[in-house]
């Protein structure tokens, strides 16, 4: 009951009506054209649910409501898997969100599994976009910081900043996030001069 309630509050209420046409199978006696159109409509609906579930989960994470984010992020992952397949780079954003939400509720082993899955997909995708790669390094950096492994955290955040700046520029909002998280780590290490200069840069 608790899981159902959490699922309802998180995402199900928003997507319930959208699931009906997706769960309804197409009539058997359709022409090829009708069948193709039906499949296209199905994929369009599934992609809409992915976007809605992902943005809902993202908002919960930003609000610090990590428990509420989990069901929405799981829906984003499930529908991404249905649309793109289980090894697609399109699954990485959902895995990263699940990792962040898991870490937020203190489930570090589960967060580590989600991050490993995302990392494995990125490594297997030679043409993976820089936008996905920098987000992966940021997530890995935040996870290592949560573990207390600041050296590894700074390594991943340095990669995050390098990749984000190469794609979006040194003074982009995307790059500033990496500087901010790096500053937080130096702050936690009591290296106030470095932390303050990075905060000023942000």
């Amino acid at each position: 009951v608790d899981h159902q309630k959490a699922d309802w509050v998180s995402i199900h209420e928003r997507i319930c009506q959208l699931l009906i046409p997706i769960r309804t199978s197409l009539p058997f006696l359709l022409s090829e054209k009708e069948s193709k159109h039906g499949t296209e409509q199905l994929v369009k609906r599934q992609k809409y649910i992915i976007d809605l579930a992902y943005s809902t989960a993202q908002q919960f994470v930003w609000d610090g409501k990590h428990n509420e984010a989990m069901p929405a992020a799981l829906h984003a992952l499930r529908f991404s898997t249905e649309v793109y397949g289980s090894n697609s780079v399109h699954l990485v954003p959902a895995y990263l969100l699940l990792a962040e939400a898991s870490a937020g509720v203190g489930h570090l082993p589960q967060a580590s599994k989600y991050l490993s899955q995302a990392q494995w997909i990125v490594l297997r995708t030679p043409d993976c976009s820089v936008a996905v790669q920098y987000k992966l390094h940021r997530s890995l950096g935040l996870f290592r910081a949560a573990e207390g492994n600041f050296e590894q955290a700074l390594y991943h955040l340095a990669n995050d900043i390098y990749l984000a700046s190469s794609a979006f520029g040194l003074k982009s909002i995307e790059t500033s996030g990496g500087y901010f998280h790096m500053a937080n780590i130096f702050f936690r290490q009591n290296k106030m001069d470095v932390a303050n200069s990075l905060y000023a840069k942000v």
Side-chain angles (χ1 to χ4, degrees):
V1 173
D2 287 345
H3 284 293
Q4 285 177 334
K5 190 178 176 186
D7 184 49
W8 181 259
V9 169
S10 172
I11 190 65
H12 209 89
E13 186 178 11
R14 295 171 204 201
I15 64 170
C16 193
Q17 292 303 310
L18 299 169
L19 292 173
I20 296 167
I22 287 173
R23 297 289 175 241
T24 309
S25 56
L26 291 169
F28 185 65
L29 298 169
L30 287 179
S31 69
E32 193 177 326
K33 188 179 175 184
E34 288 170 325
S35 181
K36 188 182 175 194
H37 176 72
T39 304
E40 285 170 2
Q41 290 302 307
L42 175 66
V43 170
K44 204 184 238 181
R45 285 190 185 103
Q46 287 173 318
K47 286 181 179 178
Y48 178 78
I49 288 174
I50 292 165
D51 291 342
L52 181 62
Y54 181 83
S55 61
T56 301
Q58 182 78 80
Q59 191 59 55
F60 278 129
V61 166
W62 286 339
D63 292 343
K65 298 176 177 176
H66 298 98
N67 263 325
E68 287 91 333
M70 293 295 289
L74 284 166
H75 275 291
L77 178 64
R78 195 176 87 220
F79 281 103
S80 295
T81 305
E82 282 182 27
V83 173
Y84 302 109
S86 58
N87 296 322
S88 170
V89 76
H90 290 284
L91 275 62
V92 171
Y95 276 125
L96 297 181
L97 254 183
L98 283 163
E100 194 173 348
S102 297
V105 293
H107 296 157
L108 293 183
Q110 189 61 49
S112 179
K113 283 180 187 173
Y114 288 132
L115 282 172
S116 296
Q117 197 65 35
Q119 199 170 17
W120 183 77
I121 290 171
V122 169
L123 289 171
R124 284 188 45 146
T125 312
D127 58 343
C128 182
S129 74
V130 173
V132 171
Q133 290 180 55
Y134 96 83
K135 286 178 183 171
L136 173 64
H137 278 287
R138 182 167 300 175
S139 294
L140 287 165
L142 291 172
F143 177 73
R144 295 295 172 221
E147 283 185 321
N149 187 340
F150 296 135
E151 197 176 315
Q152 275 291 303
L154 290 171
Y155 166 78
H156 285 296
L157 291 172
N159 278 314
D160 157 18
I161 291 166
Y162 169 74
L163 291 163
S165 62
S166 69
F168 305 105
L170 277 168
K171 296 184 176 180
S172 65
I173 290 289
E174 290 83 359
T175 306
S176 71
Y179 285 123
F180 178 74
H181 294 303
M182 197 176 256
N184 287 341
I185 289 170
F186 284 120
F187 181 84
R188 286 171 71 181
Q189 291 178 313
N190 236 8
K191 296 177 180 175
M192 300 312 293
D193 289 351
V194 186
N196 287 331
S197 76
L198 285 170
Y199 284 133
K201 196 172 183 67
V202 173

